[in-house]
Amino acid sequence: MQEKYGVAPHQYPELAALVGETSDNLPGVPGVGPKTAAKWIGAYGGLEQILAQAEDVPGKAGQNLREHLDQVRTNRRLNRLLDDLEVEASLASLEYRGADPVAIHQMCDALQFRTLRDRLMPLVAGDAVEEVTEAPAEVSVVTDGALAAVTALSGAVTVFVDGRIGADADAWALGVTQDGAAWGIDLSALSAEQEREPGWMARGPVGRGDDPRGEGCLACAASPRP
């Protein structure tokens, strides 16, 4: 922190109050960047002292500071970490035990986090790699007659959807697995009659799975029509 921003870790929120934080929609003082803010903190001793002596801060940056004192105070109030909450949890219970990919996808979908999803999923993959003790057995994917075979299944299956998520969501293929067997269905190759057939698969609860190509993949617990 000292090397990157020129302030001690506990002073970074003060620097951020002056510079602003785009990710949190907190505007900073115009013309004041991290170097200027760090210089002020070093010269005056901290944000409170800077605000108290704002009339003495020289130059155009000082003028901008005086015109945005309320914004700086608001920024500091909003970016302060709460350190007085009652937390009913032990340190042992907070130990990292790996990530839940389904929960991550649900959170990122709900909050529309795209970049964060890309940063988190490799960590999930790392957890999975560490937990694997032996290579999984290879599974042959049946494509010929897959739709008929899947339609004849009973009980829960896992469905993987190959497609694109978002406002222009689309799906191109399905992968269906049950008890070590797997079938692949090319949706673009379905006939008009097959597409119109009602209820050939009734989908149950849906969770999100990771797609290594970043195009989007759904892992569904589904029950085909009896």
Side-chain angles (χ1 to χ4, degrees):
M1 185 67 68
Q2 186 72 46
E3 181 179 348
K4 184 174 182 179
Y5 294 105
V7 296
H10 72 276
Q11 294 175 313
Y12 178 79
E14 299 182 355
L15 181 144
L18 292 165
V19 176
E21 295 183 282
T22 303
S23 60
D24 292 325
N25 198 27
L26 300 179
V29 178
V32 174
K35 290 184 179 180
T36 298
K39 182 177 69 174
W40 288 351
I41 292 172
Y44 293 94
L47 184 62
E48 289 186 9
Q49 293 86 339
I50 294 172
L51 298 179
Q53 302 177 59
E55 292 297 331
D56 300 330
V57 180
K60 178 64 174 176
Q63 179 181 339
N64 289 342
L65 171 65
R66 289 184 286 276
E67 294 174 354
H68 294 81
L69 292 177
D70 288 342
Q71 182 63 56
V72 173
R73 293 188 179 97
T74 298
N75 290 353
R76 185 64 186 96
R77 186 174 69 254
L78 293 176
N79 74 10
R80 185 181 79 86
L81 293 177
L82 297 179
D83 55 10
D84 56 356
L85 295 178
E86 293 291 336
V87 180
E88 298 180 359
S90 65
L91 288 178
S93 69
L94 299 176
E95 181 181 353
Y96 179 70
R97 295 182 174 84
D100 182 344
V102 173
I104 289 176
H105 278 302
Q106 291 174 340
M107 178 196 71
C108 290
D109 285 344
L111 300 178
Q112 298 183 1
F113 288 158
R114 297 182 180 178
T115 302
L116 182 60
R117 189 202 306 269
D118 294 339
R119 293 169 59 184
L120 289 175
M121 293 314 299
L123 301 180
V124 177
D127 291 339
V129 170
E130 293 178 1
E131 294 174 358
V132 173
T133 57
E134 60 183 35
E138 292 187 3
V139 177
S140 297
V141 179
V142 178
T143 55
D144 293 338
L147 181 57
V150 168
T151 304
L153 293 174
S154 62
V157 300
T158 300
V159 180
F160 298 90
V161 181
D162 184 10
R164 179 178 58 243
I165 59 177
D168 58 343
D170 197 1
W172 305 297
L174 297 179
V176 181
T177 66
Q178 185 186 67
D179 298 332
W183 299 265
I185 301 173
D186 183 355
L187 297 179
S188 64
L190 294 180
S191 67
E193 181 180 354
Q194 289 171 324
E195 290 181 351
R196 288 194 301 268
E197 183 178 352
W200 69 271
M201 177 170 286
R203 191 175 64 184
V206 177
R208 291 294 301 275
D210 186 29
D211 182 352
R213 293 166 300 175
E215 294 177 327
C217 175
L218 294 176
C220 314
S223 298
R225 185 186 63 183

